[in-house]
């Protein structure tokens, strides 16, 4: 399958343009819209989200990852093979957390450019073309060259910040592996642990470990973002008692 992960949103034509190109080049392969609401221009948040989501996909999946404020500039484009998954995207840190967390990672620079390429939509005109060849089992050796390391590498440890606000107003963080007795603070508030929404009172704020293993701040049947003024980039402190 081909998995799309972008900051393009769902109300503009960009995702549709990429999917139209993929329908031409890889019509037999399923296309999954994973997330198109990655925080705008935020490759750092996107890198941690992508690493968390990727574990839920079968080996051989090909991710087209596009959070690319430097599109059209001399920034490199790369292919990454890590943990049995393929990734195609910009070398701006977006793929760096996945790369650092997998011991079997391999990298290639995309040297080739098509004759016609938009300066602002490499997702359609470059990444989709390379991803289609990979998913068809036709690795594009003639378009790539081996790469030792990425140009931009983010710290692959936990990111103690809000990295995503979902439509419920839940605030996702880049923090993993927190025990239930931890105290969590953000936006001047202290959050206690709740296993899930139904275990806390209506309107109460709490933290939990979400379905992809990240610490999340929420309000039962309410919005943590609205109630506490949380936004992407806000720091989150975890006091581990053990």
């Amino acid at each position: 399958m081909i998995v799309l992960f972008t900051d393009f949103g769902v109300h503009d034509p960009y995702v549709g343009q990429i999917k139209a190109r993929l329908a031409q080049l890889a019509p037999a392969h399923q296309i999954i819209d994973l997330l198109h609401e990655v925080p705008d221009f935020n490759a750092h948040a996107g890198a941690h989200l992508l690493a968390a989501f990727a574990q839920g996909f079968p080996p051989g999946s090909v991710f087209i990852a596009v959070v690319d404020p430097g599109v059209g500039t001399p920034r490199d484009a790369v292919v990454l093979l890590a943990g049995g998954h393929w990734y195609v995207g910009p070398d701006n840190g977006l793929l760096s957390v996945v790369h650092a967390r997998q011991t079997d990672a391999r990298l290639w620079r995309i040297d080739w450019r098509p004759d016609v390429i938009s300066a602002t939509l490499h997702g359609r005109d470059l990444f989709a073309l390379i991803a289609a060849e990979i998913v068809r089992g036709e690795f594009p050796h003639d378009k790539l060259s081996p790469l030792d390391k990425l140009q931009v590498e983010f710290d692959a440890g936990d990111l103690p910040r809000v990295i995503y606000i979902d439509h419920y107003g839940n605030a996702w963080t880049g923090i993993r592996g927190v025990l239930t007795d931890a105290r969590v603070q953000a936006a001047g508030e202290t959050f206690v642990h709740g296993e899930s929404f139904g275990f806390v009172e209506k309107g109460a704020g709490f933290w939990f470990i979400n379905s992809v293993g990240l610490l999340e701040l929420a309000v039962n049947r309410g919005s943590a973002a609205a109630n506490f003024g949380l936004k992407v980039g806000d720091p989150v402190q975890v006091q581990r008692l053990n």
Side-chain angles (χ1 to χ4, degrees), residues 221-235:
R221 285 179 275 182
S223 168
N227 283 25
F228 304 113
L230 290 165
K231 59 186 182 300
V232 170
D234 281 354

Side-chain angles (χ1 to χ4, degrees), residues 38-195:
V38 178
D40 292 349
F41 323 119
N42 195 331
H44 197 184
H48 284 267
L49 288 169
L50 182 60
F53 284 129
Q55 59 190 329
F57 287 82
S61 297
V62 181
F63 290 78
I64 298 177
V66 191
V67 179
D68 194 13
V71 63
T73 71
R75 67 95 182 94
D76 280 344
V78 293
V79 172
L80 167 65
L81 174 61
H85 300 137
W86 294 93
Y87 303 84
V88 184
D91 186 352
N92 64 357
L94 182 61
L95 307 184
S96 66
V97 175
V98 170
H99 176 257
R101 290 181 183 175
Q102 297 293 335
T103 58
D104 63 348
R106 298 177 63 189
L107 280 170
W108 295 263
R109 177 188 294 112
I110 304 173
D111 300 315
W112 170 83
R113 295 293 185 271
D115 292 336
V116 178
I117 181 171
S118 166
T120 58
L121 193 53
H122 285 190
R124 178 195 65 189
D125 294 341
L126 181 61
F127 302 145
L129 278 61
I130 298 296
E133 291 194 47
I134 293 171
V135 80
R136 295 196 310 257
E138 304 166 6
F139 188 78
H141 293 281
D142 58 327
K143 298 180 176 69
L144 309 178
S145 60
L147 194 60
D148 291 331
K149 61 178 294 184
L150 294 165
Q151 288 187 338
V152 181
E153 296 178 334
F154 297 133
D155 187 337
D158 287 356
L159 179 59
R161 293 186 178 276
V162 174
I163 61 172
Y164 178 62
I165 305 287
D166 69 18
H167 85 276
Y168 294 108
N170 299 337
W172 298 39
T173 77
I175 302 169
R176 305 165 294 164
V178 180
L179 298 179
T180 58
D181 62 352
R183 291 165 59 93
V184 177
Q185 293 182 311
E189 300 287 337
T190 298
F191 296 79
V192 297
H193 177 261
E195 191 65 29

